[in-house]
């Protein structure tokens, strides 16, 4: 019963603050609309300029399961992207053509796998994106090959289905979806992270007011305090998701796909992470300026490497950056939202949900351990 009243109190306090309501419920609509129109020409569906008469050289040394898969891959790439494949037997000549810019890559296929040669000079964006598409395909085929040994053969149709998904998924932000669809999901995730700032402010206010003293002398405990704060954050996140869903579907004609409940589950788990982040930072910092500075640095970094400012496909084509983004929850959240809305079968949704909830647990446990090491009291 006490927990119910604490949740009720938190909700009332939040909606009394007009600035919170404006920032978390009006700003997402403005942000999505402005970015959608601003980048409409860059990300217009079906009209990207990134692949314009791109050439790829290849040589199949031996007929094998890899060569069959590669032929299927070439067929699907030709059907989806403006890329042409040319067979060449002279390895040195092929490498010279790649270095001169005539082709973006030279691929050698054997029964052991493949060898991918790219230019010694600065690799173009087209080359980087194509390399990501191909490597994603070949890595998946390696896993399929293991299953093939233990079960039955994998027919060409399964490769075609995978290739189509890989191409659509890798080109998100360039081909797979339009600007309104991309930034509906990306900016909703961004603004949901800012829920942490509102939650942290309430925690900070509790610490330096008589409210926290009343909570401590009441029957309420630390766990109830955390749950009540996190509850408000989750409610805000769900309401934001519903608001953006209605607006984007009716006004912007955004396609959320068929699995709406999975989309909302991904966003709800992100709101849990955002709330716990705000609670922990609010409890751990000693002054308001430090709290806001730390949260802003964390949020901007997560959004930058998570695809909220730049398309994911662009980030995945950048050296070093492509290694960093896989450690950020927003990368998996945005990838999951886009893959689910596009009907692409992947494990992004499971990873994003597990990562959001896992990081939430780690944050709480980390704070508890630090307090214990410092011989502090309970979280409350």
């Amino acid at each position: 019963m006490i927990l119910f009243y604490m949740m009720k109190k938190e909700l009332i306090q939040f909606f009394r603050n007009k600035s919170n309501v404006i920032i978390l419920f009006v700003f997402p609509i403005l942000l999505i609309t402005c970015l959608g129109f601003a980048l409409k020409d860059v990300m217009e569906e079906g009209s990207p300029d990134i692949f314009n008469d791109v050439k790829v050289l290849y040589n199949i040394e031996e007929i094998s399961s890899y060569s069959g898969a590669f032929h299927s891959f070439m067929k699907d790439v030709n059907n989806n992207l403006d890329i042409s494949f040319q067979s060449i037997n002279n390895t040195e000549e092929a490498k010279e053509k790649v270095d001169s810019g005539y082709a973006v890559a030279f691929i050698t296929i054997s029964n052991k796998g493949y060898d991918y040669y790219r230019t010694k000079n600065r690799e173009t964006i087209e080359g980087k994106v194509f390399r990501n598409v191909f490597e994603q395909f070949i890595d998946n085929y390696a896993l399929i090959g293991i299953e093939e040994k233990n079960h039955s053969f994998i027919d060409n149709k399964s490769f075609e289905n995978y290739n189509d998904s890989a191409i659509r998924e890798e080109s998100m932000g360039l081909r797979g979806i339009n600007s309104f669809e991309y930034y509906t999901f990306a900016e909703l995730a961004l603004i949901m992270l800012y829920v942490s700032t509102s939650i942290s402010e309430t925690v900070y206010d509790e610490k330096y007011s008589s409210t926290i003293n009343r909570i401590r002398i009441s029957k309420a405990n630390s766990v109830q305090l955390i749950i009540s704060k996190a509850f408000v954050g989750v409610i805000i996140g769900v309401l934001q998701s519903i608001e953006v869903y209605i607006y984007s579907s009716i006004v912007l004609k955004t396609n959320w796909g068929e699995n709406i409940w999975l989309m909302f589950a991904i966003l709800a788990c992100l709101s849990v992470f955002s709330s716990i982040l705000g609670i922990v930072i609010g409890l751990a910092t000693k002054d308001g300026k430090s709290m806001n500075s730390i949260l802003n640095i964390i949020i901007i970094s997560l959004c930058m490497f998570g695809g909220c400012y730049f398309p994911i496909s662009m980030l995945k084509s950048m050296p070093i950056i492509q290694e960093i983004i896989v450690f950020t929850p927003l990368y998996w959240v945005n990838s999951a939202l886009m893959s689910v809305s596009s009907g692409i079968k992947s494990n992004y949704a499971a990873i994003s949900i597990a990562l959001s909830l896992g990081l939430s647990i780690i944050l709480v446990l980390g704070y508890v351990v630090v307090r214990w090491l410092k011989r502090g009291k309970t979280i409350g």
Side-chain angles (χ1 to χ4, degrees):
M1 202 64 176
I2 294 177
L3 180 61
F4 172 77
Y5 285 117
M6 292 178 67
M7 292 177 177
K8 182 179 178 181
K9 175 186 74 71
E10 296 294 339
L11 281 175
I12 293 174
Q13 286 182 342
F14 172 81
F15 284 102
R16 280 178 179 173
N17 191 324
K18 294 181 181 179
S19 61
N20 284 338
V21 176
I22 292 174
I23 292 175
L24 296 178
F25 290 101
V26 177
F27 189 62
I29 301 299
L30 298 176
L31 189 63
I32 291 169
T33 305
C34 291
L35 285 176
F37 277 110
L39 300 176
K40 183 178 181 181
D41 293 335
V42 177
M43 298 176 62
E44 187 66 32
E45 182 178 10
S47 61
D49 294 325
I50 185 168
F51 291 119
N52 184 16
D53 192 25
V54 172
K55 295 180 177 60
V56 176
L57 305 178
Y58 72 94
N59 178 31
I60 298 178
E61 295 181 341
E62 298 173 275
I63 302 299
S64 64
S65 58
Y66 276 98
S67 63
F70 183 70
H71 278 296
S72 179
F73 172 75
M74 287 193 295
K75 177 182 176 182
D76 286 315
V77 169
N78 285 328
N79 292 336
N80 288 275
L81 305 172
D82 188 13
I83 297 176
S84 60
F85 292 84
Q86 297 179 6
S87 177
I88 183 171
N89 295 324
N90 191 319
T91 301
E92 294 303 321
E93 180 184 354
K95 291 181 178 180
E96 288 178 3
K97 287 187 175 182
V98 173
D99 290 335
S100 66
Y102 174 81
V104 296
F106 172 54
I107 302 173
T108 304
I109 304 293
S110 65
N111 62 350
K112 295 182 180 180
Y114 76 98
D115 181 66
Y116 191 100
Y117 180 82
R118 52 178 171 167
T119 179
K120 293 180 180 179
N121 305 316
R122 185 174 182 180
E123 191 175 18
T124 62
I125 293 295
E126 300 98 309
K128 292 177 181 178
V129 174
F130 173 79
R131 176 162 50 84
N132 285 332
V133 172
F134 177 75
E135 289 178 350
Q136 183 179 355
F137 158 77
I138 209 69
D139 289 343
N140 185 272
Y141 173 72
L143 296 177
I144 293 176
I146 295 174
E147 296 182 1
E148 182 179 0
K149 294 176 183 179
N150 297 329
H151 302 285
S152 59
F153 68 94
I154 306 296
D155 57 18
N156 286 334
K157 185 176 181 180
S158 66
F159 286 120
E160 291 175 1
N161 291 338
Y162 172 75
N163 293 343
D164 180 62
S165 297
I167 292 167
R168 288 165 57 198
E169 188 174 331
E170 187 65 36
S171 59
M172 282 176 182
L174 298 170
R175 183 183 184 89
I177 58 177
N178 60 37
S179 60
F180 291 116
E181 291 170 340
Y182 183 89
Y183 282 106
T184 292
F185 305 133
E187 302 316 308
L188 175 57
L190 178 150
I191 203 66
M192 198 169 286
L193 269 190
Y194 277 95
V195 172
S196 62
T197 60
S198 298
I199 299 299
S200 65
E201 289 176 0
T202 64
V203 173
Y204 181 80
D205 291 340
E206 297 274 21
K207 285 172 58 179
Y208 294 95
S209 67
S210 59
T211 308
I212 192 68
N213 295 326
R214 290 198 298 269
I215 292 175
R216 284 172 174 166
I217 63 176
S218 70
K219 294 182 180 180
N221 55 39
S222 303
V223 175
Q224 290 175 325
L225 176 64
I226 293 177
I227 292 176
S228 63
K229 298 290 185 182
F231 171 78
V232 176
V234 174
I235 292 298
I236 296 170
V238 171
L239 292 177
Q240 285 178 327
S241 301
I242 295 173
E243 176 199 31
V244 172
Y245 171 72
I246 295 173
Y247 172 77
S248 62
S249 299
I250 297 175
V251 179
L252 303 179
K253 307 299 181 183
T254 299
N255 180 17
W256 283 64
E258 298 179 357
N259 203 339
I260 301 297
W261 291 111
L262 181 57
M263 302 275 284
F264 274 76
I266 294 168
L267 292 168
C269 291
L270 177 62
S271 67
V272 172
F273 167 72
S274 179
S275 302
I276 296 299
L277 176 65
I279 293 171
V280 171
I281 298 299
L283 289 170
T285 52
K286 295 182 178 180
D287 61 88
K289 291 183 179 180
S290 298
M291 178 187 70
N292 290 327
S293 298
I294 292 172
L295 276 175
N296 282 327
I297 292 173
I298 293 174
I299 292 172
I300 292 174
S301 300
L302 291 177
C303 291
M304 181 180 298
F305 295 116
C308 296
Y309 303 141
F310 310 101
I312 289 177
S313 57
M314 184 179 295
L315 296 175
K316 292 175 74 173
S317 67
M318 299 178 180
I320 301 177
I321 300 297
Q322 62 184 339
E323 306 295 335
I324 297 175
I325 59 177
V326 297
F327 296 101
T328 59
L330 253 65
Y331 163 76
W332 295 104
V333 168
N334 285 328
S335 298
L337 293 174
M338 288 174 230
S339 61
V340 173
S341 66
S342 301
I344 298 173
K345 294 182 179 180
S346 69
N347 59 353
Y348 285 157
I351 293 175
S352 67
I353 290 174
L355 190 60
S356 295
L357 297 180
L359 288 174
S360 301
I361 295 173
I362 291 172
L363 283 171
V364 174
L365 293 179
Y367 179 76
V368 171
V369 170
V370 171
R371 292 283 296 175
W372 180 77
L373 291 175
K374 291 182 177 181
R375 298 180 180 179
K377 297 182 180 180
T378 60
I379 292 177

